[in-house]
Amino acid sequence: MTAPHRYAVDPADLHKTITDTLGALARRVDLRLGEVTVTVSPDNYLKAAEVLRDSPACQFEQLLDVCGLDYSDYRNGGWDGPRYAVVSHLLSVSLNQRVRLRVFCADDELPEVESLNGLWGSANWFEREAFDLYGIVFLNHPDLRRILTDYGFIGHPFRKDFPVSGHVEMRYDPERQRVIYQPVTIEPREITPRIIREENYGGIQPGRGLDNHG
């Protein structure tokens, strides 16, 4: 028999604490699979994060991660909410508890939210990564530049509509004696493995081969 999972802080108690602490700042506070997720509006994002950091009942001193999300293919395209979201994972070392903070960007064409860098310095590179890969703009970020892709990169590769082969490719031009960028020349091809369903294919098993003379 599997032993029951033990939590440092009972998730139900944490759910109630965060719900009471944030009040109207939270759109919803969910408890699922022993984890608490707080969803806030863009207008309340920065204030809610500050409350989660400074409230004596929360004390989330550490920002562990910030990542972008593209919901365009969520539920097989059945998602009818905002396309882009930003999720932050917070840790309280003092109280040994964790929470997930989520905010949806109001505009799908220009997704933007406030930067958390003023609250947690660790947000700096995480937000640059989300900007680079998803095109999410973090307002008031001190140095919002690409961090993983090259200077001349076009587009944001983690968006669901970004082509697998990209838009441009890089090669060395011997005549110009330098690296150049050009449109992608790779032809799309089907790489799904073939599923063999023929009754007597390949001669792998006795009695099932194409050359069954033995």
Side-chain angles (χ1 to χ4, degrees):
M1 180 180 295
T2 303
H5 190 91
R6 295 182 179 179
Y7 296 93
V9 176
D10 187 281
D13 292 341
L14 179 60
H15 176 269
K16 183 178 186 308
T17 296
I18 290 179
T19 301
D20 294 343
T21 300
L22 289 179
L25 290 175
R27 279 186 172 174
R28 54 187 295 180
V29 183
D30 299 309
L31 173 59
R32 187 169 182 269
L33 300 177
E35 299 178 352
V36 178
T37 300
V38 179
T39 303
V40 298
S41 67
D43 293 339
N44 292 331
Y45 179 49
L46 194 60
K47 181 60 179 178
E50 184 178 12
V51 170
L52 289 172
R53 185 193 66 174
D54 297 340
S55 170
C58 297
Q59 298 186 46
F60 292 104
E61 310 102 333
Q62 289 193 13
L63 173 70
L64 300 178
D65 185 31
V66 178
C67 60
L69 291 170
D70 180 355
Y71 279 82
S72 59
D73 284 345
Y74 187 59
R75 294 176 180 169
N76 295 319
W79 175 257
D80 60 357
R83 176 175 178 179
Y84 298 103
V86 174
V87 171
S88 305
H89 295 91
L90 308 178
L91 169 68
S92 171
V93 177
S94 302
L95 302 179
N96 197 11
Q97 57 192 18
R98 297 170 183 261
V99 70
R100 181 185 296 110
L101 177 63
R102 179 176 63 174
V103 57
F104 285 95
C105 303
D107 188 348
D108 290 349
E109 297 301 319
L110 180 60
E112 58 183 23
V113 296
E114 286 289 336
S115 171
L116 297 181
N117 188 73
L119 298 177
W120 296 280
S122 59
N124 192 327
W125 281 22
F126 292 137
E127 291 178 346
R128 285 180 59 185
E129 180 183 53
F131 164 69
D132 191 356
L133 300 181
Y134 290 94
I136 298 172
V137 176
F138 292 87
L139 303 174
N140 299 310
H141 188 285
D143 186 23
L144 195 62
R145 293 176 293 142
R146 290 186 182 270
I147 193 172
L148 295 176
T149 58
D150 197 12
Y151 295 108
F153 195 87
I154 297 174
H156 305 282
F158 275 19
R159 289 187 173 186
K160 297 297 178 65
D161 54 4
F162 188 84
V164 174
S165 58
H167 295 290
V168 297
E169 63 185 18
M170 180 178 63
R171 69 175 178 86
Y172 179 76
D173 189 319
E175 294 182 0
R176 303 181 191 180
Q177 296 187 353
R178 65 181 178 86
V179 172
I180 65 169
Y181 291 89
Q182 64 185 29
V184 171
T185 58
I186 300 174
E187 292 293 332
R189 60 190 179 92
E190 179 62 53
I191 59 173
T192 303
R194 182 186 177 199
I195 299 175
I196 305 299
R197 300 191 185 279
E198 286 86 344
E199 185 69 22
N200 298 313
Y201 183 86
I204 298 176
Q205 299 179 12
R208 295 180 60 86
L210 295 177
D211 184 16
N212 186 25
H213 300 297

